[in-house]
Amino acid sequence: CTLNCHVFQESLLSSSSGYSNYRGILNWCVVMLVLSNARLFLENIIKYGILVDPIQVVSLFLKDPYSWPAACLIIGREPLSVICYCRTGTISKTTGLILHILNLTSMLILSSATALTVTSMTPVGGVISLGVYTVLFLKLYSYQDTNRWCREIRQAKAKKMTRSFSCKSSNGSAAHTHVSYPGNLTHRDMYYFVFAPTLCYQLNFPRSPRIRKRFLMRRLLEMLFLMQLLVGLIQQWMVPTIQNSMKPFQEMDFSRMVERLLKLAVPNHLIWLIFFYWFFHSSLNFVAEMLQFGDREFYRDWWNSETVTYFWANWNIPVHKWCLRHFYKPMLRNGVNKFLAQTAVFLASAFFHEYLVSVPLKMFRLWAFMGMMAQVPLAWFVGRFLNGNYGNAAMWISLIIGQPIAVLMYVHDYYIIHHVNTT
């Protein structure tokens, strides 16, 4: 036996070997990525100097109060929706429905007007204001839809019951009560849902037993640090790269356009990843902890996506749940086939993406709309021809390359309209 040192076996890097522990190679990729980004960032500092100015953004919002989202107007929209669905004993179903439709329509008009006004001071303020209004629009739609379902169930199963009841919660917390319709129709319940980190309303949200102060402080420090880091990266890395990209686009120099695109892809993707963590983990967990909101599944493992559809279903859980609950499943119940329902969801998402960009920039170029609709054939192609790691690589390539293309398109058109044409 000691004379034999060979057995039948495959090389580790062969797919037939069954070997799967590539942690060292993954660490190598991370180190190489860090070193590559450090080199690019150092090159940026040597070329442009220190461009980070933390006072600039703060002074921009403090200088003009109209730069902030119109919080007062948003709060002012709530009483009408509360009237529509809280006063079930005094307002008929038809009247409430008409008032709610008028409320949502006026909200869209008002949000657009507010965004256009704020954009004259800063486009960032317009985007924030319009985003807040859009979130509120989706919340109110879910609020009326859920209460309509409860009303229909109540009328079908308990026609004799005229009042709701309350009892102790089953989650072990004596501070919260379990309510049934229409006992949930109160101003307190309405405003809790408005500020809760979810877009889907339900009568009884899962509640955490207490506020963890250490957890809350960690999320707050993350929010403050990452926000300043995002602003610094945009000022130092993104802005100079975008400014240097205008000339190749004007001259239609294809090779330099590709070079600018690839150079912009690195900081854009890094900023997007930091923003994801800042918003979906730090910010939403901070708000949830403050409100003792128990459901903290704001995202799933989208980074392991092997298909495009898996990515869109798992990177933004609040929006995905809203689309699934109030848009996709109702279409299936009405006899629409699955593919058309998925396409309709992407179409609605494309509309809101374009709406959030075009209105604050005061121009309609449909780049965001076309980018979202391009996900439909991309999802079909990846799901049909690419599997496993190849599908995951396709997802990452679409993220890393697709976003900077849209950014450059909008910046180029904005520059042409507001600078070249005016001169």
Side-chain angles (χ1 to χ4, degrees):
C1 295
T2 58
L3 298 178
N4 299 327
C5 61
H6 297 286
V7 295
F8 183 84
Q9 55 186 341
E10 299 286 349
S11 299
L12 288 182
L13 297 181
S14 300
S15 58
S16 57
S17 67
Y19 182 79
S20 60
N21 185 10
Y22 296 101
R23 177 175 296 180
I25 296 179
L26 177 62
N27 291 335
W28 169 77
C29 292
V30 172
V31 172
M32 290 296 294
L33 181 62
V34 171
L35 293 177
S36 177
N37 288 335
R39 184 194 66 80
L40 293 175
F41 193 72
L42 181 60
E43 178 185 345
N44 177 276
I45 293 178
I46 295 174
K47 185 175 182 180
Y48 301 109
I50 302 297
L51 301 178
V52 178
D53 185 4
I55 306 300
Q56 181 184 15
V57 178
V58 177
S59 62
L60 182 65
F61 284 98
L62 294 180
K63 179 175 63 177
D64 197 330
Y66 293 102
S67 302
W68 291 88
C72 295
L73 293 177
I74 293 173
I75 296 174
R77 303 306 302 165
E78 295 305 316
L80 182 56
S81 58
V82 174
I83 290 174
C84 291
Y85 288 93
C86 287
R87 307 303 183 186
T88 55
T90 58
I91 296 179
S92 66
K93 177 181 177 180
T94 304
T95 303
L97 179 61
I98 294 174
L99 288 175
H100 191 77
I101 292 174
L102 292 175
N103 181 43
L104 294 179
T105 304
S106 63
M107 183 181 300
L108 285 177
I109 298 174
L110 183 62
S111 65
S112 301
T114 304
L116 289 173
T117 303
V118 174
T119 302
S120 61
M121 291 77 176
T122 166
V124 177
V127 172
I128 296 175
S129 180
L130 199 59
V132 173
Y133 270 111
T134 303
V135 169
L136 185 58
F137 174 86
L138 298 177
K139 280 177 174 282
L140 292 184
Y141 187 93
S142 177
Y143 184 79
Q144 67 87 19
D145 227 14
T146 305
N147 280 292
R148 176 174 61 83
W149 296 335
C150 292
R151 183 168 59 250
E152 292 173 352
I153 294 174
R154 180 172 178 264
Q155 291 174 350
K157 293 186 176 181
K159 294 182 178 180
K160 296 181 180 181
M161 186 176 65
T162 58
R163 298 182 61 184
S164 66
F165 62 91
S166 297
C167 62
K168 293 298 180 181
S169 172
S170 59
N171 61 4
S173 174
H176 308 300
T177 57
H178 179 86
V179 299
S180 59
Y181 182 86
N184 63 300
L185 299 177
T186 63
H187 288 80
R188 179 186 180 90
D189 181 82
M190 175 71 183
Y191 284 108
Y192 179 86
F193 172 58
V194 168
F195 290 101
T198 180
L199 298 177
C200 293
Y201 176 75
Q202 66 184 54
L203 275 65
N204 299 279
F205 291 107
R207 305 291 293 274
S208 56
R210 63 183 181 87
I211 298 177
R212 297 168 293 178
K213 294 182 175 60
R214 291 185 179 180
F215 180 89
L216 197 68
M217 186 58 63
R218 286 198 299 269
R219 300 289 83 80
L220 177 61
L221 294 177
E222 287 177 356
M223 290 168 58
L224 296 176
F225 171 75
L226 292 177
M227 173 56 70
Q228 190 57 59
L229 179 61
L230 285 171
V231 172
L233 288 175
I234 292 173
Q235 290 176 327
Q236 183 68 46
W237 210 345
M238 285 280 288
V239 173
T241 305
I242 292 175
Q243 290 175 343
N244 291 337
S245 302
M246 293 301 99
K247 187 176 180 180
F249 271 82
Q250 289 177 344
E251 298 175 351
M252 296 304 294
D253 188 343
F254 183 75
S255 60
R256 291 192 61 200
M257 288 167 58
V258 174
E259 185 269 336
R260 290 287 98 184
L261 173 65
L262 294 177
K263 191 170 184 178
L264 181 64
V266 175
N268 177 85
H269 188 63
L270 180 61
I271 289 171
W272 183 83
L273 290 175
I274 296 174
F275 173 81
F276 167 82
Y277 186 90
W278 172 82
F279 182 76
F280 287 97
H281 186 75
S282 301
S283 301
L284 293 185
N285 268 292
F286 178 82
V287 175
E289 193 68 25
M290 286 287 292
L291 298 177
Q292 295 179 257
F293 187 81
D295 186 2
R296 307 296 175 87
E297 190 184 43
F298 306 121
Y299 55 90
R300 298 192 188 107
D301 61 334
W302 58 265
W303 46 86
N304 293 326
S305 301
E306 297 181 358
T307 61
V308 175
T309 53
Y310 186 88
F311 166 79
W312 287 109
N314 291 277
W315 90 278
N316 189 339
I317 295 299
V319 171
H320 172 69
K321 284 183 177 179
W322 189 96
C323 292
L324 195 67
R325 187 190 194 200
H326 299 286
F327 197 71
Y328 181 73
K329 287 185 177 180
M331 293 184 68
L332 294 181
R333 287 194 295 267
N334 290 328
V336 180
N337 67 64
K338 187 175 181 180
F339 177 76
L340 289 179
Q342 289 178 346
T343 304
V345 171
F346 274 105
L347 184 64
S349 179
F351 166 78
F352 278 106
H353 275 78
E354 187 64 38
Y355 177 70
L356 290 173
V357 177
S358 294
V359 173
L361 294 180
K362 301 180 182 179
M363 64 179 191
F364 295 91
R365 292 296 184 270
L366 299 180
W367 298 119
F369 182 87
M370 290 187 294
M372 279 300 302
M373 292 309 300
Q375 299 297 308
V376 177
L378 179 64
W380 175 84
F381 177 82
V382 173
R384 182 72 179 273
F385 299 104
L386 301 177
N387 296 314
N389 291 331
Y390 296 103
N392 183 255
M395 182 274 296
W396 281 113
I397 292 174
S398 66
L399 284 178
I400 296 173
I401 301 299
Q403 291 179 358
I405 291 178
V407 171
L408 286 178
M409 292 297 100
Y410 279 108
V411 171
H412 171 264
D413 293 345
Y414 187 84
Y415 177 79
I416 294 296
I417 293 175
H418 293 83
H419 296 280
V420 177
N421 292 342
T422 56
T423 56

